[in-house]
Amino acid sequence: MYSATVGTRRYTFADLKTLLAKASPLRSGDQLAGIAAETGEERVAAHYALADLPLATFLNDSVVAYESDEVTRLIVDSHDRTAFAAVAHLTVGGFRDWLLADETNTAVLSALAPGVTPEMAAAVSKICRLQDLMAIAAKCSVVTAFRNTLGLPGRLSVRLQPNHPTDDARGIAASIFDGLLLGAGDAVIGINPATDSPQSAQVLLTMLEELRDKLDIPTQSCVLAHVTTTLDLIGKGAPVDLVFQSIAGTQAANNSFGIDLALLREAREAALSLRRGTVGDNMMYFETGQGSALSANAHHGVDQQTLEARAYAVARAFKPLLVNSVVGFIGPEYLADGKQITRAGLEDHFCGKLIGVPMGVDVCYTNHAEADQDDMDALLALLVAAGVNFVMGVPGGDDIMLGYQSTSFHDALAMRDLFGRRPAPEFETWLGRQGLIDEAHRVRPRRLPSQFRALLPGKLS
């Protein structure tokens, strides 16, 4: 039991998961689950109790039982106590101060990452202001590589997301050309298929391979099908670069997605055997989102932000190229408005980077949330300032297949200009060869490259 006094009232919290839930900034998902603080004063009391909690507590008290949850077992069994030794003496509040200190630089944080459990990261994030989340995350660096190198300082990559409601090849190709001309696609050219048909996925993979090969683009492609579909396609010799899967922070939630850790290991080994990477072998792509465990009734009474951080421990175990928090996608039942989406996006980026995960964020919202594009503009700028590895590039910022609002190719260009960020280096060199970059290293398309003309929609298989 944990407790703290605010004014004349003493608050008690029955266990660690209750304390973490009550300390979470207000969000609709925790209210829906019935675990949120009932008043602002109770939340402040939880902050006091959490700040005084020794970090070592998280090594002895699990929010989901070790015996019944393979994600908990992964977190506990893979914890690096040698790395943790640098902060083992600290409380959660002391950890926040340590993270903000000038002496805690990128090298120190990289060495620490294997020693930070997701629950520790979630706990310290709950007592951080937005500027704390940004300042600390900006010092974290997680670099990955496949056909190009992502996450380097001063770089901002973009997932080119050319979704189409009927998987029409001409429509997808037009969106890809649009994105490439505007400097998007260095993170991945990734299609969410309209169905999980293996035949359709293979057609899309073949089309992406043809386009990438004929234009000689140093990037990677992905059809975001279920991992079992991708495994089947690998067995049939399809040109698979990245293996995608949505993941969550509990075994039960992952089971609701039709996956477990053994299946993810099998998929990674299958993708490794293809040896398609040229500069690295990070080939897993994971997507997450606060509220996914609750929506599957698999949250075990744990707050959604802590469970989101636990999903990053799953990702970390498989050395991914990309991890993407689709922050506002699940809906207002979990993140009600722009304020909650903004906080969640910065928390997710912070927690992922702190434990050593290559984080991107889909800065997005659904049309029935109390949010608009001004909220997304603000969050996008905050994330880029905080060093996010990649963001989304969607034609017009409006995904016509998934039916939600995201960020456009022009939004990413604006952020690169505003913050002096550049594409992944190998991709930037390719953009230069296409005549799409000016003397100031800005993406400025002035003509259609001749290579593109031969691949206009209608000339792709």
Side-chain angles (χ1 to χ4, degrees), residues 146-441:
F146 189 75
R147 284 200 190 89
N148 58 32
T149 308
L150 304 175
L152 292 168
R155 305 282 174 169
L156 172 65
S157 294
V158 184
R159 170 189 161 187
L160 202 170
Q161 184 169 305
N163 296 344
H164 192 278
T166 64
D167 288 341
D168 178 74
R170 289 168 60 89
I172 290 170
S175 294
I176 292 174
F177 290 144
D178 187 19
L180 291 172
L181 289 168
L182 293 169
D186 52 339
V188 63
I189 303 174
I191 303 171
N192 295 90
T195 72
D196 207 36
S197 158
Q199 294 77 17
S200 177
Q202 182 152 13
V203 168
L204 293 173
L205 282 169
T206 301
M207 171 191 166
L208 289 173
E209 177 74 353
E210 178 187 350
L211 187 151
R212 187 193 60 77
D213 183 60
K214 288 187 174 180
L215 292 179
D216 194 26
I217 311 171
T219 191
Q220 36 283 329
S221 65
C222 184
V223 173
L224 281 67
H226 191 271
V227 64
T228 53
T229 300
T230 305
L231 263 172
D232 181 59
L233 291 172
I234 290 174
K236 294 177 178 178
V240 173
D241 283 349
L242 305 188
V243 175
F244 167 81
Q245 183 56 47
S246 294
I247 57 173
T250 69
Q251 178 177 335
N254 283 325
N255 290 165
S256 77
F257 291 150
I259 63 166
D260 57 20
L261 299 182
L263 180 60
L264 295 179
R265 279 192 289 271
E266 180 185 355
R268 183 172 183 271
E269 289 167 5
L272 274 172
S273 71
L274 299 178
R275 301 184 182 276
R276 288 175 59 84
T278 55
V279 297
D281 62 0
N282 302 113
M283 80 292 292
M284 301 298 283
Y285 177 15
F286 296 118
E287 286 192 346
T288 66
Q290 289 194 27
S292 57
L294 176 58
S295 68
N297 195 28
H299 61 102
H300 301 282
V302 182
D303 71 273
Q304 65 185 41
Q305 190 257 329
T306 298
L307 291 181
E308 174 72 3
R310 283 168 55 95
Y312 304 150
V314 174
R316 179 173 62 179
F318 298 96
K319 300 179 180 178
L321 180 75
L322 308 164
V323 178
N324 178 32
S325 167
V326 192
V327 65
F329 180 74
I330 301 181
E333 299 84 0
Y334 308 98
L335 295 169
D337 53 30
K339 182 179 178 67
Q340 292 186 18
I341 293 170
T342 296
R343 173 84 197 187
L346 291 168
E347 287 171 346
D348 294 350
H349 178 248
F350 166 91
C351 288
K353 282 289 188 65
L354 188 61
I355 73 169
V357 170
M359 285 302 299
V361 177
D362 188 346
V363 179
C364 63
Y365 65 101
T366 58
N367 287 315
H368 59 310
E370 290 296 324
D372 59 27
Q373 208 63 39
D374 285 344
D375 296 313
M376 299 305 104
D377 284 352
L379 176 55
L380 177 61
L382 295 175
L383 284 164
V384 176
V388 70
N389 278 29
F390 70 99
V391 295
M392 300 297 108
V394 178
D398 182 2
D399 192 303
I400 58 174
M401 193 280 282
L402 292 173
Y404 77 115
Q405 309 304 309
S406 186
T407 49
S408 72
F409 306 135
H410 291 88
D411 293 334
L413 275 186
M415 291 302 102
R416 283 174 173 166
D417 285 0
L418 183 62
F419 290 96
R421 301 291 197 263
R422 293 161 62 178
E426 300 89 345
F427 190 81
E428 183 180 42
T429 298
W430 176 82
L431 290 170
R433 290 201 305 268
Q434 304 303 314
L436 298 174
I437 290 182
D438 68 11
E439 318 76 53
H441 301 286

